[in-house]
Amino acid sequence: MNTSNKSIKKAYQQFFLGLLEGDGSIQVNHWRKRSLQFRIVIKLKYTHANYAMCAEIREQLGIMNLHIRRGFIIMVEDHRVRLLSIMAIIDKHGLLLTHKRRQYAFFKYCYNNKITYSEYAHIKDLKNSWLGFNSINDYSSDQLLEFSHWPNWLIGFTEAEGCFCIRSNGIHSFSISQKDGSEVLTAIKKTFKIPNKVRSTSRLYFLETYAGVVLQNICNFYSSSRVIGLLGEKQIQYKTFKISLEKKKLDK
């Protein structure tokens, strides 16, 4: 991105939120029923590219610690003061998935009010019906598209949940999935003008396209100078995909 340092930092913040919503969790746990522990975690498959991406996020934003465990990269922050920096990023831009917004509302309430374990247990027993956590409703797909951080958020989310595939028969496809959040996949469908329906199974929502014109729209988006671009393993996957797709067009 050919922009100022301030704009680059902002883009990394937005990308980070998409990555967090795709492969992360916002946790309030307890230690032996005595005290509460607050953690924000992102877990990714270990590759050199994913490690470089995580290290770059840490460098740019000054957040999260990195650990490598059993074939995974764990980005984690559990320091009460440093968590404030991540909370400031979330409050500035906003989360988009409903279940993550509910997670964060509970996290923030517990953190800001310094609640005791007994209060925590009481709220958990009520299954978030107390304090209106369950009244946080879905954004519509059109509302999602109006958020200024949607493009960079989508790229971070793609790092977590997207796939650029070249099948053994030479067919190219793009797919993206999410356990909860059909409205997000509908917004992605609208962003790329994908004609296919958002499908659902008992486990997740799923969107996939093979259409050449649509795949070109997708490539235009991920290669645009107006967005941060893919940063980790998906960047390598995307570059291979794009080169192969362009070669296929030339062969035709």
Side-chain angles (χ1 to χ4, degrees):
M1 295 178 66
N2 186 20
T3 52
S4 67
N5 289 339
K6 185 176 180 180
S7 295
I8 291 172
K9 183 174 181 180
K10 182 178 178 181
Y12 269 92
Q13 290 175 347
Q14 296 167 352
F15 177 97
F16 169 77
L17 292 182
L19 188 66
L20 172 63
E21 295 210 63
D23 267 339
S25 60
I26 302 168
Q27 304 173 8
V28 184
N29 302 308
H30 63 85
W31 183 77
R32 297 183 179 179
K33 299 184 179 181
R34 295 179 185 177
S35 60
L36 296 187
Q37 298 174 321
F38 299 86
R39 301 172 77 232
I40 293 177
V41 182
I42 297 174
K43 184 177 181 180
L44 300 164
K45 178 182 177 182
Y46 176 79
T47 68
H48 293 302
N50 279 344
Y51 181 82
M53 172 183 69
C54 294
E56 183 67 15
I57 290 171
R58 180 180 59 183
E59 177 71 19
Q60 290 286 341
L61 302 181
I63 58 173
M64 310 295 278
N65 297 307
L66 302 186
H67 306 281
I68 301 173
R69 297 174 184 159
R70 297 179 182 178
F72 290 95
I73 303 168
I74 313 294
M75 298 182 73
V76 60
E77 187 57 78
D78 55 9
H79 189 280
R80 287 189 67 98
V81 175
R82 291 194 294 268
L83 279 168
L84 288 170
S85 297
I86 302 177
M87 293 167 70
I89 293 171
I90 295 174
D91 292 340
K92 179 180 178 181
H93 301 291
L95 300 174
L96 302 185
L97 291 168
T98 304
H99 67 285
K100 281 294 193 294
R101 290 162 60 214
R102 289 175 179 166
Q103 271 186 10
Y104 180 62
F106 178 69
F107 177 98
K108 190 176 179 180
Y109 174 83
C110 294
Y111 184 97
N112 287 342
N113 290 282
K114 300 179 181 178
I115 69 169
T116 62
Y117 169 75
S118 60
E119 290 177 279
Y120 163 84
H122 178 63
I123 297 171
K124 295 292 281 186
D125 285 343
L126 293 173
K127 299 187 185 301
N128 291 345
S129 61
W130 192 46
L131 298 177
F133 295 133
N134 64 344
S135 67
I136 296 174
N137 297 316
D138 297 343
Y139 289 126
S140 70
S141 57
D142 289 334
Q143 285 177 309
L144 291 171
L145 295 174
E146 291 174 0
F147 284 106
S148 61
H149 66 297
W150 169 255
N152 286 321
W153 181 96
L154 175 53
I155 293 176
F157 187 72
T158 303
E159 281 282 357
E161 303 289 4
C163 179
F164 301 91
C165 179
I166 308 170
R167 300 189 183 278
S168 58
N169 60 2
I171 298 297
H172 297 73
S173 69
F174 170 78
S175 62
I176 197 159
S177 61
Q178 173 59 214
K179 183 178 179 180
D180 298 296
S182 62
E183 73 286 350
V184 167
L185 292 197
T186 302
I188 295 171
K189 171 182 165 71
K190 291 180 178 179
T191 297
F192 298 136
K193 297 179 173 58
I194 297 174
N196 310 68
K197 292 181 179 180
V198 175
R199 292 182 284 157
S200 63
T201 68
S202 58
R203 293 179 54 251
L204 50 74
Y205 292 96
F206 184 76
L207 179 65
E208 184 174 32
T209 183
Y210 298 85
V213 174
V214 177
L215 293 177
Q216 188 58 58
N217 289 340
I218 291 169
C219 288
N220 292 343
F221 174 83
Y222 287 100
S223 296
S224 172
S225 61
R226 296 189 297 273
V227 295
I228 191 171
L230 296 159
L231 301 174
E233 191 65 26
K234 291 291 161 58
Q235 179 191 48
I236 295 174
Q237 189 184 88
Y238 169 68
K239 285 181 176 179
T240 301
F241 175 90
K242 187 171 182 288
I243 290 169
S244 176
L245 191 64
E246 290 173 349
K247 182 178 184 301
K248 185 175 182 180
K249 285 172 61 179
L250 289 173
D251 290 344
K252 284 185 177 180

